[in-house]
């Protein structure tokens, strides 16, 4: 009998990927701007209407003129790609 080994769980950072507020990413479902990243498990579970969740992302589909914010909890995969990273610093106004 072969030993069954569990695959290591990916970290929350790996699951979220580069999605931070201000990031724009795209996949087959649309092009999304990240409005908020929720890392509080209780709040994420509440937003996703699940018994438990480790995180949630509030996004808006930028390809829809009437795109309203909504919550996603899907992990970052190879089918997602970064269009614009989040800004980490802002330049001073001239």
């Amino acid at each position: 009998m072969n030993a069954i080994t569990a695959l290591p769980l990916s970290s929350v950072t790996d699951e979220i990927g580069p999605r931070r507020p201000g990031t724009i990413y795209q996949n087959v479902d649309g092009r999304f701007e990240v409005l908020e990243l929720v890392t509080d498990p209780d709040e994420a579970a509440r937003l996703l209407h699940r018994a438990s969740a480790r995180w949630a992302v509030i996004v808006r589909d930028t390809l829809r003129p009437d795109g309203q914010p909504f919550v996603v909890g899907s992990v970052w995969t190879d089918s997602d790609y970064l269009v614009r990273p989040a800004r980490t610093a802002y330049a001073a106004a001239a």
Side-chain angles (χ1 to χ4, degrees), residues 22-55:
T23 297
I24 296 178
Y25 70 98
Q26 188 164 339
N27 59 33
V28 297
D29 296 322
R31 182 180 296 155
F32 306 99
E33 177 182 17
V34 176
L35 303 176
E36 187 173 347
L37 171 61
V38 178
T39 56
D40 174 63
D42 293 332
E43 180 66 7
R46 186 187 71 75
L47 290 169
L48 291 166
H49 306 287
R50 296 181 184 167
S52 66
R54 300 193 309 175
W55 54 270

mmCIF file of all heavy atoms in Angstrom, residues 22-55:
data_model
loop_
_atom_site.group_PDB
_atom_site.id
_atom_site.type_symbol
_atom_site.label_atom_id
_atom_site.label_comp_id
_atom_site.label_asym_id
_atom_site.label_seq_id
_atom_site.Cartn_x
_atom_site.Cartn_y
_atom_site.Cartn_z
ATOM 1 N N GLY A 22 -6.028 48.730 -5.860
ATOM 2 C CA GLY A 22 -5.456 49.447 -6.989
ATOM 3 C C GLY A 22 -4.980 48.549 -8.117
ATOM 4 O O GLY A 22 -4.807 48.985 -9.241
ATOM 5 N N THR A 23 -4.793 47.275 -7.832
ATOM 6 C CA THR A 23 -4.368 46.315 -8.850
ATOM 7 C C THR A 23 -5.484 46.118 -9.870
ATOM 8 O O THR A 23 -6.660 46.110 -9.513
ATOM 9 C CB THR A 23 -4.047 44.954 -8.198
ATOM 10 O OG1 THR A 23 -2.973 45.112 -7.302
ATOM 11 C CG2 THR A 23 -3.703 43.892 -9.229
ATOM 12 N N ILE A 24 -5.100 45.929 -11.130
ATOM 13 C CA ILE A 24 -6.051 45.498 -12.152
ATOM 14 C C ILE A 24 -5.532 44.184 -12.707
ATOM 15 O O ILE A 24 -4.353 44.075 -13.051
ATOM 16 C CB ILE A 24 -6.223 46.536 -13.270
ATOM 17 C CG1 ILE A 24 -6.836 47.815 -12.693
ATOM 18 C CG2 ILE A 24 -7.092 45.974 -14.402
ATOM 19 C CD1 ILE A 24 -7.021 48.928 -13.692
ATOM 20 N N TYR A 25 -6.409 43.180 -12.730
ATOM 21 C CA TYR A 25 -6.040 41.882 -13.286
ATOM 22 C C TYR A 25 -7.149 41.397 -14.202
ATOM 23 O O TYR A 25 -8.266 41.897 -14.166
ATOM 24 C CB TYR A 25 -5.738 40.863 -12.180
ATOM 25 C CG TYR A 25 -6.934 40.398 -11.386
ATOM 26 C CD1 TYR A 25 -7.572 39.201 -11.683
ATOM 27 C CD2 TYR A 25 -7.414 41.138 -10.324
ATOM 28 C CE1 TYR A 25 -8.666 38.764 -10.953
ATOM 29 C CE2 TYR A 25 -8.505 40.709 -9.586
ATOM 30 C CZ TYR A 25 -9.122 39.523 -9.895
ATOM 31 O OH TYR A 25 -10.200 39.086 -9.180
ATOM 32 N N GLN A 26 -6.811 40.444 -15.047
ATOM 33 C CA GLN A 26 -7.771 39.944 -16.015
ATOM 34 C C GLN A 26 -7.747 38.434 -16.047
ATOM 35 O O GLN A 26 -6.716 37.806 -15.796
ATOM 36 C CB GLN A 26 -7.453 40.497 -17.406
ATOM 37 C CG GLN A 26 -8.513 40.184 -18.440
ATOM 38 C CD GLN A 26 -8.388 41.047 -19.680
ATOM 39 O OE1 GLN A 26 -7.794 42.117 -19.651
ATOM 40 N NE2 GLN A 26 -8.954 40.586 -20.772
ATOM 41 N N ASN A 27 -8.905 37.848 -16.365
ATOM 42 C CA ASN A 27 -9.033 36.413 -16.630
ATOM 43 C C ASN A 27 -10.213 36.234 -17.585
ATOM 44 O O ASN A 27 -10.714 37.230 -18.132
ATOM 45 C CB ASN A 27 -9.176 35.606 -15.326
ATOM 46 C CG ASN A 27 -10.368 36.012 -14.500
ATOM 47 O OD1 ASN A 27 -11.401 36.405 -15.020
ATOM 48 N ND2 ASN A 27 -10.228 35.925 -13.192
ATOM 49 N N VAL A 28 -10.648 35.023 -17.799
ATOM 50 C CA VAL A 28 -11.725 34.775 -18.766
ATOM 51 C C VAL A 28 -13.050 35.409 -18.350
ATOM 52 O O VAL A 28 -13.923 35.605 -19.189
ATOM 53 C CB VAL A 28 -11.925 33.264 -19.029
ATOM 54 C CG1 VAL A 28 -10.681 32.667 -19.654
ATOM 55 C CG2 VAL A 28 -12.309 32.540 -17.758
ATOM 56 N N ASP A 29 -13.195 35.742 -17.081
ATOM 57 C CA ASP A 29 -14.446 36.309 -16.589
ATOM 58 C C ASP A 29 -14.529 37.826 -16.735
ATOM 59 O O ASP A 29 -15.601 38.396 -16.631
ATOM 60 C CB ASP A 29 -14.660 35.939 -15.124
ATOM 61 C CG ASP A 29 -14.811 34.446 -14.931
ATOM 62 O OD1 ASP A 29 -15.443 33.800 -15.788
ATOM 63 O OD2 ASP A 29 -14.286 33.923 -13.934
ATOM 64 N N GLY A 30 -13.399 38.508 -16.931
ATOM 65 C CA GLY A 30 -13.416 39.960 -17.052
ATOM 66 C C GLY A 30 -12.092 40.578 -16.658
ATOM 67 O O GLY A 30 -11.088 39.892 -16.460
ATOM 68 N N ARG A 31 -12.100 41.902 -16.561
ATOM 69 C CA ARG A 31 -10.932 42.665 -16.102
ATOM 70 C C ARG A 31 -11.354 43.374 -14.824
ATOM 71 O O ARG A 31 -12.325 44.135 -14.825
ATOM 72 C CB ARG A 31 -10.509 43.682 -17.155
ATOM 73 C CG ARG A 31 -9.267 44.459 -16.732
ATOM 74 C CD ARG A 31 -8.835 45.467 -17.768
ATOM 75 N NE ARG A 31 -8.451 44.766 -18.976
ATOM 76 C CZ ARG A 31 -8.477 45.314 -20.192
ATOM 77 N NH1 ARG A 31 -8.869 46.565 -20.352
ATOM 78 N NH2 ARG A 31 -8.106 44.619 -21.241
ATOM 79 N N PHE A 32 -10.629 43.142 -13.757
ATOM 80 C CA PHE A 32 -11.076 43.565 -12.439
ATOM 81 C C PHE A 32 -10.099 44.503 -11.758
ATOM 82 O O PHE A 32 -8.890 44.256 -11.747
ATOM 83 C CB PHE A 32 -11.284 42.336 -11.540
ATOM 84 C CG PHE A 32 -12.193 41.328 -12.169
ATOM 85 C CD1 PHE A 32 -11.688 40.215 -12.812
ATOM 86 C CD2 PHE A 32 -13.562 41.515 -12.152
ATOM 87 C CE1 PHE A 32 -12.520 39.287 -13.409
ATOM 88 C CE2 PHE A 32 -14.408 40.596 -12.757
ATOM 89 C CZ PHE A 32 -13.890 39.480 -13.384
ATOM 90 N N GLU A 33 -10.649 45.550 -11.177
ATOM 91 C CA GLU A 33 -9.869 46.445 -10.326
ATOM 92 C C GLU A 33 -10.134 46.033 -8.887
ATOM 93 O O GLU A 33 -11.288 45.898 -8.468
ATOM 94 C CB GLU A 33 -10.294 47.894 -10.530
ATOM 95 C CG GLU A 33 -9.557 48.843 -9.603
ATOM 96 C CD GLU A 33 -10.013 50.285 -9.755
ATOM 97 O OE1 GLU A 33 -11.093 50.533 -10.328
ATOM 98 O OE2 GLU A 33 -9.282 51.156 -9.274
ATOM 99 N N VAL A 34 -9.077 45.843 -8.126
ATOM 100 C CA VAL A 34 -9.211 45.480 -6.714
ATOM 101 C C VAL A 34 -9.496 46.752 -5.923
ATOM 102 O O VAL A 34 -8.699 47.693 -5.936
ATOM 103 C CB VAL A 34 -7.945 44.784 -6.189
ATOM 104 C CG1 VAL A 34 -8.067 44.509 -4.693
ATOM 105 C CG2 VAL A 34 -7.675 43.509 -6.959
ATOM 106 N N LEU A 35 -10.628 46.760 -5.253
ATOM 107 C CA LEU A 35 -11.012 47.904 -4.439
ATOM 108 C C LEU A 35 -10.584 47.732 -2.987
ATOM 109 O O LEU A 35 -10.198 48.701 -2.336
ATOM 110 C CB LEU A 35 -12.528 48.111 -4.514
ATOM 111 C CG LEU A 35 -13.086 48.297 -5.931
ATOM 112 C CD1 LEU A 35 -14.611 48.393 -5.884
ATOM 113 C CD2 LEU A 35 -12.472 49.509 -6.596
ATOM 114 N N GLU A 36 -10.680 46.495 -2.510
ATOM 115 C CA GLU A 36 -10.316 46.231 -1.113
ATOM 116 C C GLU A 36 -9.920 44.780 -0.936
ATOM 117 O O GLU A 36 -10.511 43.889 -1.546
ATOM 118 C CB GLU A 36 -11.496 46.561 -0.190
ATOM 119 C CG GLU A 36 -11.153 46.475 1.278
ATOM 120 C CD GLU A 36 -12.301 46.964 2.161
ATOM 121 O OE1 GLU A 36 -13.245 47.580 1.663
ATOM 122 O OE2 GLU A 36 -12.217 46.694 3.372
ATOM 123 N N LEU A 37 -8.933 44.556 -0.105
ATOM 124 C CA LEU A 37 -8.497 43.216 0.284
ATOM 125 C C LEU A 37 -8.868 43.024 1.744
ATOM 126 O O LEU A 37 -8.471 43.814 2.600
ATOM 127 C CB LEU A 37 -6.986 43.067 0.090
ATOM 128 C CG LEU A 37 -6.339 41.807 0.637
ATOM 129 C CD1 LEU A 37 -6.915 40.568 -0.039
ATOM 130 C CD2 LEU A 37 -4.833 41.871 0.437
ATOM 131 N N VAL A 38 -9.655 41.998 2.019
ATOM 132 C CA VAL A 38 -10.123 41.720 3.385
ATOM 133 C C VAL A 38 -9.385 40.480 3.887
ATOM 134 O O VAL A 38 -9.558 39.391 3.339
ATOM 135 C CB VAL A 38 -11.647 41.481 3.402
ATOM 136 C CG1 VAL A 38 -12.126 41.149 4.809
ATOM 137 C CG2 VAL A 38 -12.382 42.686 2.831
ATOM 138 N N THR A 39 -8.568 40.649 4.911
ATOM 139 C CA THR A 39 -7.805 39.525 5.440
ATOM 140 C C THR A 39 -8.291 39.065 6.814
ATOM 141 O O THR A 39 -7.743 38.117 7.363
ATOM 142 C CB THR A 39 -6.306 39.861 5.512
ATOM 143 O OG1 THR A 39 -6.127 41.044 6.300
ATOM 144 C CG2 THR A 39 -5.725 40.067 4.113
ATOM 145 N N ASP A 40 -9.304 39.706 7.343
ATOM 146 C CA ASP A 40 -9.900 39.250 8.592
ATOM 147 C C ASP A 40 -10.808 38.062 8.265
ATOM 148 O O ASP A 40 -11.784 38.222 7.510
ATOM 149 C CB ASP A 40 -10.708 40.372 9.239
ATOM 150 C CG ASP A 40 -11.448 39.890 10.469
ATOM 151 O OD1 ASP A 40 -10.788 39.488 11.439
ATOM 152 O OD2 ASP A 40 -12.704 39.882 10.428
ATOM 153 N N PRO A 41 -10.511 36.866 8.778
ATOM 154 C CA PRO A 41 -11.289 35.674 8.426
ATOM 155 C C PRO A 41 -12.791 35.784 8.709
ATOM 156 O O PRO A 41 -13.609 35.331 7.901
ATOM 157 C CB PRO A 41 -10.650 34.558 9.251
ATOM 158 C CG PRO A 41 -9.270 35.031 9.511
ATOM 159 C CD PRO A 41 -9.380 36.529 9.642
ATOM 160 N N ASP A 42 -13.167 36.387 9.817
ATOM 161 C CA ASP A 42 -14.591 36.520 10.146
ATOM 162 C C ASP A 42 -15.304 37.422 9.144
ATOM 163 O O ASP A 42 -16.400 37.108 8.676
ATOM 164 C CB ASP A 42 -14.782 37.049 11.567
ATOM 165 C CG ASP A 42 -14.323 36.065 12.631
ATOM 166 O OD1 ASP A 42 -14.368 34.836 12.372
ATOM 167 O OD2 ASP A 42 -13.919 36.519 13.713
ATOM 168 N N GLU A 43 -14.687 38.545 8.823
ATOM 169 C CA GLU A 43 -15.283 39.477 7.861
ATOM 170 C C GLU A 43 -15.316 38.858 6.457
ATOM 171 O O GLU A 43 -16.298 39.009 5.729
ATOM 172 C CB GLU A 43 -14.506 40.805 7.852
ATOM 173 C CG GLU A 43 -15.044 41.839 6.890
ATOM 174 C CD GLU A 43 -16.445 42.359 7.242
ATOM 175 O OE1 GLU A 43 -16.993 42.029 8.309
ATOM 176 O OE2 GLU A 43 -17.005 43.085 6.410
ATOM 177 N N ALA A 44 -14.247 38.161 6.068
ATOM 178 C CA ALA A 44 -14.203 37.503 4.759
ATOM 179 C C ALA A 44 -15.320 36.461 4.646
ATOM 180 O O ALA A 44 -16.014 36.401 3.628
ATOM 181 C CB ALA A 44 -12.840 36.856 4.538
ATOM 182 N N ALA A 45 -15.514 35.664 5.677
ATOM 183 C CA ALA A 45 -16.576 34.648 5.671
ATOM 184 C C ALA A 45 -17.951 35.302 5.568
ATOM 185 O O ALA A 45 -18.816 34.834 4.829
ATOM 186 C CB ALA A 45 -16.486 33.786 6.922
ATOM 187 N N ARG A 46 -18.136 36.397 6.281
ATOM 188 C CA ARG A 46 -19.416 37.115 6.226
ATOM 189 C C ARG A 46 -19.669 37.649 4.817
ATOM 190 O O ARG A 46 -20.760 37.483 4.261
ATOM 191 C CB ARG A 46 -19.430 38.260 7.244
ATOM 192 C CG ARG A 46 -20.774 38.972 7.353
ATOM 193 C CD ARG A 46 -20.707 40.206 8.242
ATOM 194 N NE ARG A 46 -19.960 41.289 7.631
ATOM 195 C CZ ARG A 46 -20.412 42.060 6.628
ATOM 196 N NH1 ARG A 46 -21.607 41.842 6.115
ATOM 197 N NH2 ARG A 46 -19.679 43.041 6.145
ATOM 198 N N LEU A 47 -18.667 38.286 4.221
ATOM 199 C CA LEU A 47 -18.822 38.856 2.888
ATOM 200 C C LEU A 47 -19.089 37.791 1.823
ATOM 201 O O LEU A 47 -19.848 38.014 0.887
ATOM 202 C CB LEU A 47 -17.574 39.653 2.501
ATOM 203 C CG LEU A 47 -17.350 40.961 3.257
ATOM 204 C CD1 LEU A 47 -15.956 41.498 2.973
ATOM 205 C CD2 LEU A 47 -18.411 41.977 2.875
ATOM 206 N N LEU A 48 -18.437 36.634 1.976
ATOM 207 C CA LEU A 48 -18.578 35.558 0.996
ATOM 208 C C LEU A 48 -19.753 34.629 1.291
ATOM 209 O O LEU A 48 -20.005 33.689 0.534
ATOM 210 C CB LEU A 48 -17.282 34.743 0.928
ATOM 211 C CG LEU A 48 -16.083 35.478 0.313
ATOM 212 C CD1 LEU A 48 -14.791 34.727 0.608
ATOM 213 C CD2 LEU A 48 -16.295 35.649 -1.185
ATOM 214 N N HIS A 49 -20.459 34.886 2.397
ATOM 215 C CA HIS A 49 -21.605 34.047 2.799
ATOM 216 C C HIS A 49 -21.165 32.585 2.926
ATOM 217 O O HIS A 49 -21.824 31.676 2.421
ATOM 218 C CB HIS A 49 -22.769 34.176 1.825
ATOM 219 C CG HIS A 49 -23.195 35.585 1.598
ATOM 220 N ND1 HIS A 49 -23.879 36.306 2.546
ATOM 221 C CD2 HIS A 49 -23.006 36.426 0.543
ATOM 222 C CE1 HIS A 49 -24.107 37.518 2.081
ATOM 223 N NE2 HIS A 49 -23.584 37.618 0.872
ATOM 224 N N ARG A 50 -20.038 32.384 3.599
ATOM 225 C CA ARG A 50 -19.503 31.039 3.829
ATOM 226 C C ARG A 50 -19.334 30.813 5.324
ATOM 227 O O ARG A 50 -19.257 31.760 6.104
ATOM 228 C CB ARG A 50 -18.116 30.885 3.178
ATOM 229 C CG ARG A 50 -18.125 30.992 1.679
ATOM 230 C CD ARG A 50 -16.728 30.797 1.150
ATOM 231 N NE ARG A 50 -16.670 30.973 -0.287
ATOM 232 C CZ ARG A 50 -15.549 31.107 -0.956
ATOM 233 N NH1 ARG A 50 -14.381 31.089 -0.347
ATOM 234 N NH2 ARG A 50 -15.569 31.268 -2.278
ATOM 235 N N ALA A 51 -19.219 29.552 5.691
ATOM 236 C CA ALA A 51 -18.981 29.225 7.096
ATOM 237 C C ALA A 51 -17.593 29.680 7.522
ATOM 238 O O ALA A 51 -17.390 30.090 8.666
ATOM 239 C CB ALA A 51 -19.134 27.723 7.318
ATOM 240 N N SER A 52 -16.638 29.606 6.595
ATOM 241 C CA SER A 52 -15.293 30.070 6.908
ATOM 242 C C SER A 52 -14.597 30.545 5.639
ATOM 243 O O SER A 52 -14.920 30.098 4.532
ATOM 244 C CB SER A 52 -14.463 28.967 7.574
ATOM 245 O OG SER A 52 -14.240 27.924 6.655
ATOM 246 N N ALA A 53 -13.681 31.461 5.809
ATOM 247 C CA ALA A 53 -12.861 31.976 4.715
ATOM 248 C C ALA A 53 -11.638 32.629 5.343
ATOM 249 O O ALA A 53 -11.705 33.143 6.462
ATOM 250 C CB ALA A 53 -13.623 32.983 3.879
ATOM 251 N N ARG A 54 -10.538 32.572 4.640
ATOM 252 C CA ARG A 54 -9.317 33.195 5.169
ATOM 253 C C ARG A 54 -9.149 34.615 4.663
ATOM 254 O O ARG A 54 -8.488 35.425 5.289
ATOM 255 C CB ARG A 54 -8.095 32.356 4.813
ATOM 256 C CG ARG A 54 -8.203 30.967 5.401
ATOM 257 C CD ARG A 54 -6.957 30.150 5.394
ATOM 258 N NE ARG A 54 -6.261 30.057 4.132
ATOM 259 C CZ ARG A 54 -5.086 29.452 4.000
ATOM 260 N NH1 ARG A 54 -4.499 28.909 5.048
ATOM 261 N NH2 ARG A 54 -4.494 29.381 2.829
ATOM 262 N N TRP A 55 -9.769 34.926 3.522
ATOM 263 C CA TRP A 55 -9.637 36.250 2.932
ATOM 264 C C TRP A 55 -10.729 36.434 1.881
ATOM 265 O O TRP A 55 -11.381 35.482 1.478
ATOM 266 C CB TRP A 55 -8.260 36.442 2.297
ATOM 267 C CG TRP A 55 -7.936 35.356 1.308
ATOM 268 C CD1 TRP A 55 -7.306 34.176 1.581
ATOM 269 C CD2 TRP A 55 -8.275 35.319 -0.070
ATOM 270 N NE1 TRP A 55 -7.240 33.412 0.429
ATOM 271 C CE2 TRP A 55 -7.817 34.096 -0.600
ATOM 272 C CE3 TRP A 55 -8.927 36.192 -0.933
ATOM 273 C CZ2 TRP A 55 -7.994 33.743 -1.932
ATOM 274 C CZ3 TRP A 55 -9.101 35.842 -2.257
ATOM 275 C CH2 TRP A 55 -8.621 34.622 -2.743
#
